[in-house]
Amino acid sequence: MTKRVVLLRHAKAERPARIADFDRPLTARGYADAGAAGAWLAHGGHLPSVVICSPARRTRQTWHGVALAMAEAPAATVGGEAGGGPVVSYEPDVYEGDARELLDLIRKVDPAAGVVLLIGHNPSISGLSRLLDPVSADPDGLRTSGISVHRLAVPEWAELRPSRGPVEAAHTARS
């Protein structure tokens, strides 16, 4: 089984005064873009068996929009893994950590998982994409609702190292 890491930067978020960064909600466009990201992932067959998500409000809301869109995708277009929904974990290191800490989280994933979706923030999410594929990753980084799918050149998550995950597909979901 080919393993893939799908990196998704959270959707467009508000910047209200007197609200902590951690608590920033999505904008109306952000909600629409999260749904568009989920539809793109479903139609491309990139359905996760594991989701690692920042616990920040905007990333949790992004995941919710992505999950709803995946669930609504026509069965004929969905090429993801069979079975129930993905195992979802909300990891503080995705909010606070750097690219190498995100890589460490992925290395701990159950070996049976085929696709991991990591929903996070810049600069770490874009840094992880460049760490996995320094040649083909977008040098400007992922935009809000930006997706980078990396095909792994290792049989086990624990063996994942820098430069071992070439970009297979990329997309920026915009409503």
Side-chain angles (χ1 to χ4, degrees), residues 134-174:
V135 174
S136 300
D138 188 332
D140 295 327
L142 295 170
R143 288 128 188 96
T144 55
S145 301
I147 302 166
S148 183
V149 180
H150 294 263
R151 180 180 31 83
L152 302 186
V154 295
E156 299 291 330
W157 297 108
E159 297 174 28
L160 183 57
R161 301 289 180 267
S163 302
R164 299 292 305 272
V167 173
E168 181 176 74
H171 180 73
T172 299
R174 294 280 191 239

Side-chain angles (χ1 to χ4, degrees), residues 89-107:
S89 64
Y90 298 95
E91 300 291 338
D93 282 349
V94 180
Y95 181 74
E96 300 164 351
D98 62 18
R100 291 203 177 264
E101 289 168 298
L102 299 182
L103 187 66
D104 288 341
L105 288 171
I106 295 168
R107 286 181 181 139

Side-chain angles (χ1 to χ4, degrees), residues 21-79:
D21 180 72
F22 189 85
D23 297 321
R24 291 174 45 212
L26 293 184
T27 63
R29 186 185 109 194
Y31 281 106
D33 290 351
W40 185 85
L41 290 170
H43 290 286
H46 305 295
L47 297 179
S49 47
V50 172
V51 176
I52 303 170
C53 186
S54 161
R57 183 177 181 185
R58 62 190 176 275
T59 48
R60 288 182 288 118
Q61 289 174 330
T62 298
W63 165 237
H64 181 74
V66 166
L68 286 175
M70 285 180 173
E72 293 173 359
T77 65
V78 176

Side-chain angles (χ1 to χ4, degrees), residues 5 75 129 131 149 164:
V5 173
S129 185
L131 188 66
V149 180
R164 299 292 305 272

